Amino acid sequence: MINRLLSFLDSSPVNFLAVKNISDMLVAGGFRQLDPCQPLGAVKAGDRFFVTKNDSSVFAFRIGRKPMAEAGFHMICAHSDSPTFRIKPNAEMLCEGGIVKLNTEVYGGPIMSTWFDRPLTLAGRVIVRGKDVMHPSTMLLHIKRPLLQISNLAIHFNRQVNDGVKLSRQKDVLPILGQITSQLEAGNLLMGLIVEELNKQRPVKAEDILDFDLYLADTAPACTFGAHNEFISSGRLDDLSMCFAGLEAMLAADTADTTQVLAIFDNEETGSQTKQGAGSPFLSYMLKRIALAQSNTEEAYYQAVERAFMISADNAHAWHPNYAEKYDPTNHPMLGGGPVIKFNAAQKYASDAVSASVFAGLCAKAGVPCQRFVNHSDVAGGSTLGNILASSIPLRGVDMGNAILAMHSCRETGSVRDHEYCVKVFTSFYKEC
Ligand code: CO
């Protein structure tokens, strides 16, 4: 089971690739891709379908035996994006000696120092000329070799480097792309690489490339480590490990009375306020279209929402053996201790005593341990999908996630056992009527 997660992580360096891989696995599992531009048509028990938005979010549905108005829906949501660096337009910066570096901007909140001195590459989507100006076409790109590096300054120039370093997002984190060998390459190095890579898929000329959304990605594969291989080392565990656990559960579940929903949103790391993010009404439109197809009345949708339950799955913070003082004295989840329910008095998390009881009950039924997380009261902490989604769809639900170390590092640490627990409880949640 863990190898499936590791290979998903390796083939999903950014949101676009993650959504493509999830879509492919849904198709292999018998799900039909629907075009949201077309009428939804009739919907019957056992139907499996999915839609994508912006190539970076994906929503899968398995229609229950009972209409949603009667049995509600069981939804797991997670996010496809992770902190990284976005390549700016006109990114090439030609330096002395023909060295070319790339101009980037920060996406989300990475621990920037963890991106230094490791082989990086480019991944994302490239927009190429289509049938007319309003309809360009999209090609995905993942250059599978070490291509770039953000190099540190030698300690000899900065003797205080181990006492903490302030990093500039404009100066310190620009990766080196290469060294030009002739003036002809000046300004064309990046485009040449993109064209070469796209031509492995189909013939594309440089003049047909209109724009791109490209990001930096780690080239080192995900792996397990530890005396018993009990830990996972990978980028993007937050939140691709939760996306994948949800997908495994969706594929393993069968038709139940209740409709099953898997919602993978983009842009959680930048606040979710995009058309493909959790702040968008897109998912509620889809649910409303399903309810209308079943019952021909908007009333059905509102009933479905009232009967629904959401698991908002986003990783939590595991107790760190070097920094015990940062954690709440009585609630600090351990790696390998099972899924974590997240609470926050200021309601940054959707969990309350009712939804937590439901989730803890699901864990108990699945034979899975479960833990609770609350911030140390002097530490601000983060937020996630659940409460943002609840403001557009007033769902009963819980915020949870598996505990990891070094959240937002280029390499996070997770637990093999927790992944297995999570798939188990998600699968039984979908099967639960
Ligand atoms: Co997250």
Side-chain angles (χ1 to χ4, degrees):
M1 182 184 274
I2 200 63
N3 288 334
R4 284 168 60 85
L5 172 64
L6 299 183
S7 68
F8 173 71
L9 290 163
D10 289 341
S11 59
S12 307
V14 291
N15 51 0
F16 301 111
L17 276 297
V19 164
K20 166 79 169 96
N21 292 329
I22 292 168
S23 300
D24 286 351
M25 280 180 268
L26 286 168
V27 168
F31 285 71
R32 270 179 310 136
Q33 180 162 15
L34 297 186
D35 178 357
C37 301
Q38 301 298 326
L40 190 58
V43 166
K44 57 177 195 320
D47 277 357
R48 286 167 284 175
F49 54 84
F50 70 98
V51 293
T52 64
K53 184 82 172 163
N54 187 50
D55 312 316
S56 63
S57 64
V58 53
F59 306 90
F61 307 87
R62 184 187 276 112
I63 303 302
R65 284 186 290 262
K66 292 185 178 166
M68 290 203 306
E70 257 176 62
F73 53 89
H74 283 182
M75 177 159 82
I76 294 171
C77 52
H79 65 89
S80 63
D81 62 323
S82 303
T84 175
F85 296 83
R86 182 187 156 86
I87 310 303
K88 284 182 175 175
N90 304 310
E92 281 183 47
M93 301 168 84
L94 182 58
C95 311
E96 207 162 320
I99 288 183
V100 176
K101 63 179 181 180
L102 288 186
N103 192 7
T104 60
E105 64 181 319
V106 177
Y107 178 85
I111 304 176
M112 294 201 295
S113 61
T114 63
W115 286 76
F116 283 71
D117 303 331
R118 60 169 72 237
L120 303 172
T121 188
L122 290 175
R125 67 175 175 185
V126 179
I127 309 307
V128 299
R129 205 176 301 283
K131 65 176 183 194
D132 60 49
V133 73
M134 292 301 290
H135 301 91
S137 68
T138 297
M139 295 179 76
L140 298 182
L141 178 126
H142 179 196
I143 300 181
K144 291 177 182 161
R145 70 170 174 96
L147 182 67
L148 303 126
Q149 187 148 308
I150 303 170
S151 295
N152 251 304
L153 182 67
I155 193 168
H156 312 82
F157 298 114
N158 182 8
R159 293 284 179 189
Q160 285 75 47
V161 66
N162 293 324
D163 302 330
V165 177
K166 188 165 166 41
L167 295 174
S168 156
R169 296 152 80 94
Q170 184 59 64
K171 175 184 167 62
D172 293 307
V173 289
L174 303 188
I176 296 170
L177 174 67
Q179 200 162 22
I180 59 169
T181 49
S182 84
Q183 273 310 309
L184 287 172
E185 278 188 315
N188 298 314
L189 205 53
L190 177 62
M191 197 48 83
L193 287 159
I194 293 171
V195 170
E196 185 188 321
E197 193 63 29
L198 293 182
N199 272 279
K200 293 177 185 169
Q201 300 174 39
R202 66 174 172 87
V204 177
K205 292 201 272 302
E207 57 267 32
D208 291 331
I209 293 175
L210 304 173
D211 212 331
F212 53 71
D213 293 313
L214 291 178
Y215 297 87
L216 298 186
D218 187 10
T219 57
C223 62
T224 56
F225 75 99
H228 308 288
N229 278 310
E230 60 271 62
F231 303 123
I232 308 169
S233 171
S234 173
R236 309 172 306 286
L237 287 176
D238 174 16
D239 191 28
L240 294 185
S241 62
M242 292 292 104
C243 294
F244 195 68
L247 176 68
E248 292 270 50
M250 182 55 115
L251 294 174
D254 212 337
T255 306
D257 281 355
T258 307
T259 293
Q260 298 149 3
V261 183
L262 176 67
I264 307 296
F265 296 99
D266 192 11
N267 302 132
E268 191 276 338
E269 300 294 355
T270 55
S272 296
Q273 302 301 329
T274 59
K275 64 190 180 303
Q276 62 275 4
S280 158
F282 182 75
L283 174 64
S284 67
Y285 292 169
M286 283 306 303
L287 291 166
K288 196 175 283 188
R289 288 164 79 169
I290 294 169
L292 283 168
Q294 287 180 328
S295 309
N296 209 18
T297 151
E298 211 166 295
E299 176 68 17
Y301 167 69
Y302 299 115
Q303 284 178 273
V305 168
E306 291 306 311
R307 294 186 199 279
F309 193 87
M310 165 190 67
I311 295 177
S312 163
D314 197 358
N315 290 93
H317 299 296
W319 180 81
H320 195 307
N322 296 349
Y323 306 98
E325 72 282 3
K326 293 288 183 187
Y327 293 79
D328 181 70
T330 62
N331 300 279
H332 37 263
M334 306 304 294
L335 285 167
V340 176
I341 303 171
K342 302 191 247 178
F343 293 94
N344 179 254
Q347 302 302 308
K348 283 183 180 170
Y349 300 132
S351 316
D352 54 33
V354 177
S355 61
S357 302
V358 170
F359 186 75
L362 289 168
C363 287
K365 234 181 139 179
V368 164
C370 118
Q371 314 183 78
R372 285 169 165 77
F373 173 85
V374 190
N375 281 313
H376 182 291
S377 301
D378 296 329
V379 175
S383 84
T384 181
L385 299 163
N387 61 334
I388 290 169
L389 198 56
S391 62
S392 61
I393 315 176
L395 288 170
R396 188 165 61 122
V398 67
D399 264 306
M400 57 71 66
N402 276 345
I404 61 169
L405 297 177
M407 188 179 285
H408 293 190
S409 169
C410 193
R411 258 347 245 206
E412 297 160 332
T413 295
S415 149
V416 171
R417 221 181 324 155
D418 286 338
H419 178 63
E420 292 162 358
Y421 287 147
C422 203
V423 173
K424 218 168 158 189
V425 70
F426 284 1
T427 307
S428 86
F429 169 59
Y430 276 146
K431 287 180 171 167
E432 201 69 36
C433 293

Coordinates of all heavy atoms in Angstrom, one line a residue, residues 50-127:
F50 N -16.6 12.1 -12.5 CA -15.8 13.2 -11.9 C -15.7 14.3 -12.9 O -15.9 14.2 -14.1 CB -14.4 12.7 -11.5 CG -13.5 12.3 -12.7 CD1 -12.5 13.3 -13.1 CD2 -13.6 11.1 -13.3 CE1 -11.7 13.0 -14.1 CE2 -12.7 10.8 -14.4 CZ -11.8 11.7 -14.8
V51 N -15.4 15.5 -12.3 CA -15.2 16.7 -13.1 C -13.9 17.3 -12.6 O -13.5 17.1 -11.4 CB -16.3 17.7 -13.0 CG1 -17.6 17.2 -13.6 CG2 -16.6 18.1 -11.5
T52 N -13.2 18.1 -13.5 CA -12.1 18.8 -13.0 C -12.3 20.3 -13.3 O -13.2 20.7 -14.0 CB -10.8 18.4 -13.8 OG1 -10.9 18.8 -15.2 CG2 -10.5 16.9 -13.7
K53 N -11.6 21.1 -12.6 CA -11.7 22.6 -12.7 C -10.3 23.2 -12.9 O -9.4 22.9 -12.0 CB -12.4 23.2 -11.5 CG -12.7 24.7 -11.6 CD -13.9 25.0 -12.4 CE -14.3 26.4 -12.3 NZ -15.3 26.8 -13.4
N54 N -10.0 23.9 -13.9 CA -8.7 24.5 -14.1 C -7.5 23.5 -14.2 O -6.4 23.9 -13.9 CB -8.5 25.5 -13.0 CG -7.2 26.4 -13.2 OD1 -7.0 27.0 -14.2 ND2 -6.3 26.4 -12.2
D55 N -7.8 22.3 -14.5 CA -6.8 21.2 -14.5 C -6.1 21.0 -13.1 O -5.2 20.3 -13.0 CB -5.6 21.5 -15.5 CG -6.1 21.9 -16.8 OD1 -7.1 21.2 -17.3 OD2 -5.6 22.9 -17.4
S56 N -6.6 21.7 -12.1 CA -5.9 21.7 -10.8 C -6.8 21.3 -9.6 O -6.3 21.2 -8.5 CB -5.2 23.0 -10.5 OG -6.1 24.1 -10.4
S57 N -8.1 21.1 -9.8 CA -8.9 20.5 -8.8 C -9.8 19.5 -9.4 O -10.0 19.5 -10.6 CB -9.8 21.6 -8.1 OG -10.7 22.2 -9.0
V58 N -10.2 18.5 -8.6 CA -11.0 17.4 -9.2 C -12.0 16.9 -8.1 O -11.8 16.9 -6.9 CB -10.0 16.2 -9.6 CG1 -9.1 15.8 -8.5 CG2 -10.8 15.0 -10.1
F59 N -13.2 16.6 -8.6 CA -14.3 16.2 -7.8 C -15.0 15.0 -8.3 O -15.5 14.9 -9.4 CB -15.4 17.4 -7.8 CG -14.8 18.7 -7.4 CD1 -14.3 19.5 -8.4 CD2 -14.7 19.1 -6.1 CE1 -13.6 20.8 -8.1 CE2 -14.1 20.3 -5.7 CZ -13.5 21.1 -6.7
A60 N -14.9 13.9 -7.5 CA -15.4 12.6 -7.9 C -16.7 12.2 -7.1 O -16.8 12.6 -5.9 CB -14.4 11.5 -7.7
F61 N -17.6 11.6 -7.7 CA -18.9 11.2 -7.1 C -19.3 9.8 -7.4 O -19.1 9.3 -8.5 CB -20.0 12.1 -7.7 CG -19.7 13.6 -7.6 CD1 -19.0 14.2 -8.7 CD2 -20.1 14.4 -6.5 CE1 -18.7 15.6 -8.6 CE2 -19.9 15.7 -6.5 CZ -19.2 16.3 -7.5
R62 N -19.8 9.1 -6.4 CA -20.4 7.8 -6.6 C -21.8 7.9 -6.0 O -22.0 8.1 -4.8 CB -19.6 6.6 -6.0 CG -20.3 5.3 -6.3 CD -19.7 4.1 -5.5 NE -18.5 3.6 -6.2 CZ -17.3 3.7 -5.6 NH1 -17.1 4.2 -4.5 NH2 -16.2 3.2 -6.2
I63 N -22.8 7.8 -6.9 CA -24.2 8.1 -6.5 C -24.7 6.9 -5.7 O -24.6 5.8 -6.0 CB -25.1 8.3 -7.8 CG1 -24.5 9.4 -8.7 CG2 -26.5 8.6 -7.4 CD1 -24.4 10.8 -7.9
G64 N -25.3 7.3 -4.6 CA -25.9 6.3 -3.6 C -27.2 5.7 -4.1 O -27.8 6.2 -5.0
R65 N -27.5 4.6 -3.4 CA -28.8 3.9 -3.7 C -30.0 4.8 -3.4 O -31.0 4.8 -4.0 CB -28.9 2.6 -3.0 CG -28.1 1.5 -3.6 CD -28.3 0.2 -2.9 NE -27.8 0.2 -1.5 CZ -26.6 -0.4 -1.1 NH1 -25.9 -1.0 -2.0 NH2 -26.2 -0.3 0.1
K66 N -29.8 5.6 -2.3 CA -30.9 6.6 -2.0 C -30.6 8.0 -2.5 O -29.4 8.4 -2.5 CB -31.1 6.6 -0.4 CG -31.6 5.3 0.2 CD -31.8 5.5 1.6 CE -32.4 4.2 2.2 NZ -32.3 4.2 3.7
P67 N -31.6 8.7 -2.9 CA -31.4 10.1 -3.3 C -30.7 10.9 -2.2 O -30.9 10.7 -1.1 CB -32.7 10.7 -3.6 CG -33.7 9.5 -3.6 CD -33.0 8.4 -2.9
M68 N -29.9 11.9 -2.6 CA -29.1 12.7 -1.7 C -30.1 13.4 -0.7 O -29.7 13.6 0.5 CB -28.2 13.7 -2.4 CG -27.0 13.1 -3.1 SD -25.7 14.3 -3.3 CE -26.5 15.6 -4.2
A69 N -31.3 13.8 -1.1 CA -32.2 14.4 -0.3 C -32.6 13.6 0.9 O -32.9 14.0 2.0 CB -33.5 14.8 -1.0
E70 N -32.5 12.2 0.7 CA -32.9 11.3 1.8 C -31.7 10.8 2.6 O -31.8 10.7 3.8 CB -33.5 10.0 1.1 CG -35.0 9.9 1.2 CD -35.4 8.7 0.4 OE1 -35.0 7.5 0.8 OE2 -36.1 8.8 -0.6
A71 N -30.6 10.6 1.9 CA -29.4 10.0 2.6 C -28.2 10.9 2.7 O -27.2 10.5 3.3 CB -29.1 8.7 1.9
G72 N -28.3 12.1 2.2 CA -27.2 13.1 2.2 C -26.0 12.6 1.4 O -26.2 11.8 0.5
F73 N -24.8 13.0 1.8 CA -23.6 12.5 1.1 C -22.5 12.5 2.1 O -22.5 13.3 3.1 CB -23.3 13.4 -0.2 CG -23.2 14.9 0.1 CD1 -22.0 15.4 0.4 CD2 -24.3 15.7 -0.1 CE1 -21.9 16.8 0.6 CE2 -24.2 17.1 0.1 CZ -23.0 17.6 0.5
H74 N -21.5 11.6 1.8 CA -20.3 11.5 2.6 C -19.1 12.1 1.8 O -18.8 11.5 0.7 CB -20.0 10.1 3.0 CG -20.9 9.6 4.1 ND1 -20.9 8.4 4.7 CD2 -21.9 10.3 4.8 CE1 -21.8 8.3 5.6 NE2 -22.4 9.4 5.7
M75 N -18.6 13.2 2.3 CA -17.5 13.8 1.5 C -16.2 13.8 2.2 O -16.1 14.1 3.4 CB -17.9 15.3 1.2 CG -16.8 16.0 0.4 SD -17.5 17.4 -0.4 CE -17.6 18.6 0.9
I76 N -15.1 13.5 1.5 CA -13.7 13.7 1.9 C -13.1 14.8 1.1 O -13.2 14.7 -0.2 CB -12.9 12.4 1.8 CG1 -13.5 11.3 2.8 CG2 -11.4 12.6 2.1 CD1 -12.9 9.9 2.6
C77 N -12.6 15.8 1.7 CA -11.9 16.8 0.9 C -10.4 17.0 1.3 O -10.1 16.7 2.5 CB -12.6 18.1 0.8 SG -13.1 18.8 2.4
A78 N -9.6 17.4 0.4 CA -8.2 17.6 0.6 C -7.7 18.6 -0.4 O -8.5 19.1 -1.2 CB -7.4 16.2 0.5
H79 N -6.4 18.9 -0.4 CA -5.9 19.9 -1.4 C -4.7 19.4 -2.2 O -3.9 18.7 -1.7 CB -5.7 21.3 -0.8 CG -4.6 21.3 0.2 ND1 -3.3 21.6 -0.1 CD2 -4.6 21.2 1.6 CE1 -2.5 21.6 1.0 NE2 -3.3 21.4 2.0
S80 N -4.7 19.9 -3.5 CA -3.7 19.4 -4.4 C -2.5 20.2 -4.5 O -1.5 19.8 -5.0 CB -4.4 19.4 -5.8 OG -4.7 20.8 -6.2
D81 N -2.5 21.4 -3.9 CA -1.3 22.3 -4.0 C -0.4 22.2 -2.8 O -0.9 21.8 -1.7 CB -1.7 23.8 -4.2 CG -2.6 24.3 -3.0 OD1 -3.4 23.5 -2.4 OD2 -2.4 25.5 -2.7
S82 N 0.9 22.5 -3.0 CA 1.8 22.5 -1.9 C 2.7 23.8 -2.1 O 2.9 24.2 -3.2 CB 2.7 21.3 -1.9 OG 1.9 20.1 -1.8
P83 N 3.4 24.2 -1.0 CA 4.3 25.4 -1.1 C 5.4 25.1 -2.1 O 6.0 24.0 -2.1 CB 4.8 25.6 0.3 CG 3.8 25.0 1.2 CD 3.3 23.8 0.4
T84 N 5.7 26.0 -2.9 CA 6.8 25.9 -3.9 C 7.2 27.3 -4.4 O 7.0 28.3 -3.8 CB 6.4 24.9 -5.0 OG1 7.5 24.9 -6.0 CG2 5.1 25.3 -5.7
F85 N 7.9 27.3 -5.6 CA 8.3 28.5 -6.2 C 7.8 28.5 -7.6 O 7.9 27.6 -8.3 CB 9.8 28.7 -6.2 CG 10.4 28.8 -4.8 CD1 10.7 27.6 -4.1 CD2 10.7 30.0 -4.2 CE1 11.2 27.6 -2.8 CE2 11.2 30.0 -2.9 CZ 11.5 28.9 -2.2
R86 N 7.1 29.7 -8.0 CA 6.6 29.8 -9.3 C 7.5 30.5 -10.2 O 8.2 31.5 -9.8 CB 5.2 30.5 -9.2 CG 4.5 30.7 -10.5 CD 3.3 31.7 -10.3 NE 2.9 32.3 -11.5 CZ 2.1 31.7 -12.4 NH1 1.5 30.5 -12.1 NH2 1.8 32.3 -13.5
I87 N 7.7 30.1 -11.5 CA 8.6 30.7 -12.4 C 7.9 32.0 -12.9 O 6.7 31.9 -13.4 CB 8.9 29.8 -13.6 CG1 9.4 28.4 -13.1 CG2 10.0 30.5 -14.5 CD1 10.6 28.5 -12.2
K88 N 8.5 33.1 -12.8 CA 7.9 34.4 -13.2 C 8.0 34.5 -14.8 O 8.8 33.8 -15.4 CB 8.7 35.6 -12.6 CG 8.3 35.8 -11.1 CD 9.1 37.1 -10.6 CE 8.7 37.4 -9.2 NZ 9.5 38.5 -8.7
P89 N 7.1 35.3 -15.4 CA 7.3 35.6 -16.8 C 8.7 36.2 -17.0 O 9.3 36.8 -16.1 CB 6.2 36.6 -17.1 CG 5.3 36.6 -16.0 CD 6.0 36.1 -14.8
N90 N 9.2 36.1 -18.2 CA 10.6 36.7 -18.6 C 11.6 36.3 -17.5 O 12.3 37.1 -17.0 CB 10.5 38.2 -18.7 CG 9.5 38.6 -19.7 OD1 9.5 38.1 -20.9 ND2 8.6 39.5 -19.3
A91 N 11.6 35.0 -17.2 CA 12.3 34.6 -16.0 C 13.8 34.5 -16.1 O 14.5 34.6 -15.1 CB 11.8 33.2 -15.6
E92 N 14.4 34.5 -17.3 CA 15.8 34.2 -17.4 C 16.6 35.5 -17.0 O 16.3 36.6 -17.5 CB 16.2 33.8 -18.8 CG 15.9 32.4 -19.1 CD 16.3 31.9 -20.5 OE1 17.5 32.3 -20.9 OE2 15.5 31.3 -21.2
M93 N 17.6 35.3 -16.2 CA 18.5 36.4 -15.8 C 19.9 36.0 -16.1 O 20.5 35.1 -15.5 CB 18.4 36.7 -14.3 CG 16.9 37.1 -13.9 SD 16.6 37.1 -12.1 CE 17.2 38.7 -11.7
L94 N 20.5 36.6 -17.2 CA 21.8 36.3 -17.6 C 22.9 37.0 -16.8 O 22.9 38.2 -16.6 CB 22.0 36.7 -19.1 CG 23.3 36.4 -19.8 CD1 23.6 34.9 -19.7 CD2 23.3 36.9 -21.2
C95 N 23.7 36.2 -16.2 CA 24.7 36.7 -15.2 C 26.1 36.6 -15.8 O 26.3 36.0 -16.9 CB 24.7 36.0 -13.9 SG 23.0 35.9 -13.2
E96 N 27.1 37.0 -15.1 CA 28.5 37.0 -15.5 C 28.9 35.5 -15.9 O 28.4 34.6 -15.3 CB 29.4 37.5 -14.4 CG 30.7 38.1 -14.9 CD 31.4 38.9 -13.9 OE1 30.7 39.7 -13.2 OE2 32.6 38.9 -13.8
G97 N 29.7 35.4 -16.9 CA 30.2 34.1 -17.3 C 29.1 33.2 -18.0 O 29.3 32.0 -18.2
G98 N 28.0 33.9 -18.4 CA 27.0 33.1 -19.1 C 26.1 32.3 -18.2 O 25.3 31.5 -18.7
I99 N 26.2 32.5 -16.9 CA 25.3 31.7 -16.0 C 23.9 32.3 -16.1 O 23.8 33.6 -16.0 CB 25.9 31.8 -14.6 CG1 27.2 30.9 -14.5 CG2 24.9 31.3 -13.6 CD1 27.8 30.8 -13.2
V100 N 23.0 31.4 -16.2 CA 21.6 31.9 -16.3 C 20.8 31.4 -15.0 O 20.9 30.2 -14.6 CB 20.9 31.3 -17.5 CG1 19.4 31.6 -17.5 CG2 21.5 31.7 -18.8
K101 N 20.2 32.3 -14.3 CA 19.4 32.0 -13.2 C 17.9 32.3 -13.5 O 17.7 33.1 -14.4 CB 19.9 32.6 -11.9 CG 19.8 34.1 -11.9 CD 20.3 34.6 -10.5 CE 20.3 36.1 -10.5 NZ 20.7 36.7 -9.2
L102 N 17.0 31.8 -12.8 CA 15.6 32.0 -13.1 C 15.0 32.9 -12.0 O 15.2 32.7 -10.8 CB 14.8 30.7 -13.1 CG 15.0 29.8 -14.3 CD1 14.0 28.6 -14.3 CD2 14.8 30.6 -15.6
N103 N 14.1 33.8 -12.4 CA 13.4 34.7 -11.5 C 12.1 33.9 -11.1 O 11.4 33.4 -11.9 CB 13.0 36.0 -12.2 CG 12.5 37.0 -11.3 OD1 12.6 36.9 -10.1 ND2 12.1 38.1 -11.9
T104 N 11.9 33.8 -9.7 CA 10.8 33.1 -9.2 C 10.0 33.9 -8.2 O 10.5 34.9 -7.7 CB 11.3 31.8 -8.5 OG1 12.1 32.2 -7.4 CG2 12.0 30.9 -9.4
E105 N 8.8 33.5 -7.9 CA 8.1 34.0 -6.7 C 7.6 32.9 -5.9 O 7.4 31.8 -6.4 CB 7.0 35.0 -7.1 CG 5.9 34.4 -7.9 CD 4.8 35.5 -8.3 OE1 4.5 36.4 -7.4 OE2 4.3 35.4 -9.4
V106 N 7.5 33.2 -4.6 CA 7.1 32.1 -3.7 C 5.7 31.8 -3.8 O 4.8 32.7 -3.9 CB 7.5 32.6 -2.2 CG1 7.0 31.6 -1.2 CG2 8.9 32.9 -2.1
Y107 N 5.3 30.5 -3.8 CA 3.9 30.1 -3.8 C 3.7 29.4 -2.4 O 4.3 28.5 -2.0 CB 3.6 29.0 -4.9 CG 2.2 28.5 -4.8 CD1 1.2 29.2 -5.4 CD2 1.9 27.4 -4.0 CE1 -0.1 28.8 -5.3 CE2 0.6 27.0 -3.9 CZ -0.4 27.7 -4.6 OH -1.8 27.3 -4.4
G108 N 2.7 30.0 -1.7 CA 2.4 29.5 -0.3 C 3.5 29.8 0.7 O 4.2 30.7 0.5
G109 N 3.6 29.0 1.7 CA 4.6 29.2 2.7 C 5.6 28.2 2.9 O 5.6 27.4 3.9
P110 N 6.6 28.0 2.0 CA 7.6 27.0 2.1 C 8.6 27.3 3.2 O 8.8 28.5 3.5 CB 8.3 27.0 0.7 CG 8.1 28.4 0.2 CD 6.8 28.8 0.7
I111 N 9.2 26.3 3.8 CA 10.5 26.6 4.6 C 11.6 26.7 3.6 O 12.0 25.8 3.0 CB 10.8 25.4 5.6 CG1 9.6 25.1 6.5 CG2 12.0 25.7 6.4 CD1 9.8 23.9 7.4
M112 N 11.9 28.0 3.3 CA 12.7 28.2 2.1 C 14.1 27.6 2.1 O 14.6 27.1 1.1 CB 12.8 29.7 1.8 CG 11.5 30.4 1.5 SD 11.6 32.0 0.6 CE 12.3 33.0 1.9
S113 N 14.7 27.6 3.3 CA 16.0 27.0 3.4 C 16.1 25.5 3.0 O 17.2 25.1 2.6 CB 16.6 27.2 4.8 OG 15.8 26.4 5.7
T114 N 15.0 24.8 3.1 CA 15.0 23.4 2.7 C 15.1 23.2 1.2 O 15.3 22.0 0.8 CB 13.8 22.7 3.3 OG1 12.6 23.2 2.7 CG2 13.6 22.8 4.8
W115 N 14.9 24.2 0.5 CA 15.0 24.1 -1.0 C 16.4 24.3 -1.5 O 16.6 24.2 -2.7 CB 14.0 25.1 -1.7 CG 12.6 24.7 -1.5 CD1 11.8 24.8 -0.4 CD2 11.8 24.0 -2.5 NE1 10.6 24.2 -0.7 CE2 10.5 23.8 -2.0 CE3 12.0 23.7 -3.9 CZ2 9.5 23.2 -2.7 CZ3 11.0 23.1 -4.6 CH2 9.7 22.8 -4.0
F116 N 17.3 24.6 -0.6 CA 18.7 24.9 -1.1 C 19.5 23.6 -1.3 O 19.3 22.6 -0.6 CB 19.4 25.7 0.0 CG 19.1 27.2 0.0 CD1 17.8 27.6 0.4 CD2 20.0 28.2 -0.4 CE1 17.5 29.0 0.5 CE2 19.6 29.5 -0.4 CZ 18.4 29.9 0.0
D117 N 20.4 23.7 -2.2 CA 21.5 22.7 -2.4 C 20.9 21.3 -2.6 O 21.4 20.3 -2.1 CB 22.4 22.6 -1.2 CG 23.1 24.0 -0.9 OD1 23.2 24.7 -1.9 OD2 23.4 24.3 0.2
R118 N 19.8 21.2 -3.4 CA 19.3 19.9 -3.8 C 18.9 20.0 -5.3 O 18.4 21.1 -5.7 CB 18.1 19.5 -2.9 CG 17.0 20.4 -2.9 CD 15.7 19.8 -2.3 NE 15.8 19.7 -0.8 CZ 15.7 18.6 -0.2 NH1 15.4 17.5 -0.8 NH2 15.7 18.6 1.1
P119 N 19.0 18.9 -6.0 CA 18.6 19.0 -7.4 C 17.1 19.2 -7.6 O 16.3 18.5 -7.0 CB 19.0 17.6 -8.0 CG 19.9 17.0 -6.9 CD 19.5 17.6 -5.6
L120 N 16.8 20.2 -8.4 CA 15.4 20.6 -8.6 C 15.0 20.5 -10.1 O 15.9 20.4 -10.9 CB 15.1 22.0 -8.1 CG 15.5 22.3 -6.7 CD1 15.4 23.9 -6.4 CD2 14.6 21.6 -5.7
T121 N 13.7 20.5 -10.4 CA 13.3 20.5 -11.8 C 12.1 21.4 -11.9 O 11.7 22.1 -11.0 CB 13.1 19.1 -12.3 OG1 12.9 19.1 -13.7 CG2 11.9 18.4 -11.6
L122 N 11.5 21.3 -13.1 CA 10.3 22.1 -13.4 C 9.1 21.2 -13.7 O 9.3 20.2 -14.3 CB 10.6 23.0 -14.7 CG 11.5 24.1 -14.6 CD1 11.7 24.7 -16.0 CD2 11.0 25.2 -13.6
A123 N 8.0 21.7 -13.2 CA 6.8 20.9 -13.5 C 5.6 21.9 -13.5 O 5.6 22.9 -12.8 CB 6.5 19.8 -12.5
G124 N 4.6 21.5 -14.3 CA 3.4 22.4 -14.4 C 2.6 22.2 -15.7 O 2.6 21.1 -16.2
R125 N 2.1 23.3 -16.2 CA 1.4 23.2 -17.5 C 1.9 24.3 -18.4 O 2.2 25.4 -18.0 CB -0.1 23.3 -17.3 CG -0.6 24.6 -16.8 CD -2.2 24.7 -16.7 NE -2.6 25.9 -16.1 CZ -3.9 26.2 -15.8 NH1 -4.8 25.3 -16.1 NH2 -4.2 27.4 -15.3
V126 N 1.8 24.0 -19.7 CA 2.2 24.9 -20.7 C 1.0 25.1 -21.6 O 0.4 24.2 -22.0 CB 3.4 24.4 -21.5 CG1 3.8 25.4 -22.6 CG2 4.6 24.1 -20.6
I127 N 0.8 26.4 -22.0 CA -0.4 26.7 -22.8 C 0.1 26.9 -24.2 O 1.0 27.7 -24.5 CB -1.1 28.0 -22.3 CG1 -1.4 27.8 -20.8 CG2 -2.4 28.2 -23.1 CD1 -2.2 26.6 -20.4

